[in-house]
Amino acid sequence: MSLGPQAERLRRQVLSGLPMTLWMWKSLPLAAFAGLRVKRLDDEACAVRLPGGWRTQNPFRSTYFAAQAMAAEMSTGAPALVLIADTPASVAMLVVGLEASYSKKAVGETVFTFEDVAGMHETIETAAAASEPQTFLARSVGRDGAGDEVAAFEITWSFKRRSTG
């Protein structure tokens, strides 16, 4: 799978640092405040960094579950936005389900990675050509600095071609 010109341009913007941070302050202020950063976004995977520290911790000095959910969702939503940029029809996207499991206390920086961009691409292409919404189950795994899994999220996305009239 290769990204078309519009998707590639958007991919570079998502990875751009300051311009992306400014966009997040405008459109996703909680994600900006938490310090989320897209570290990798290509045709295979997307990785989002969630810093530890006072902005994301709970009273027990571990990373708040909602901050983890936000990073996991971004690791699956960023590639969806990029892939939709190249569809021949306008496609809407919406989270319709979320399941999480926590396997270890998250302390410090955590990186959430989604590794099925190709599968998501197929679903979005189907949605662009179909009249019915298509769903995709995206799995994002959070790992701490030692590489240990701390959480896994399954986010169900719905993709639907917008009506033209």
Side-chain angles (χ1 to χ4, degrees), residues 31-158:
F33 181 77
L36 297 182
R37 296 290 179 269
V38 178
K39 303 307 284 180
R40 174 185 177 190
L41 177 52
D42 55 40
D43 58 357
E44 294 176 8
C46 181
V48 173
R49 176 186 163 271
L50 172 65
W54 67 272
R55 294 181 294 180
T56 59
Q57 81 180 15
N58 61 30
F60 309 106
R61 301 196 186 277
S62 60
T63 304
Y64 185 49
F65 80 94
Q68 293 181 57
M70 193 166 38
E73 188 270 344
M74 184 178 279
S75 74
T76 63
L81 281 173
V82 166
L83 293 168
I84 284 172
D86 272 343
T87 58
S90 179
V91 175
M93 56 188 268
L94 180 67
V95 172
V96 295
L98 180 129
E99 289 190 30
S101 61
Y102 303 90
S103 50
K104 182 181 175 187
K105 186 175 181 176
V107 179
E109 181 178 304
T110 307
V111 175
F112 283 84
T113 306
F114 164 63
E115 296 182 319
D116 190 13
V117 175
M120 180 179 272
H121 183 253
E122 289 177 23
T123 301
I124 291 170
E125 289 294 314
T126 301
S131 58
E132 295 297 316
Q134 304 295 310
T135 59
F136 181 79
L137 182 65
R139 180 174 166 80
S140 181
V141 175
R143 297 189 183 280
D144 63 15
D148 297 330
E149 182 177 315
V150 298
F153 286 79
E154 290 186 339
I155 300 158
T156 304
W157 285 95
S158 174

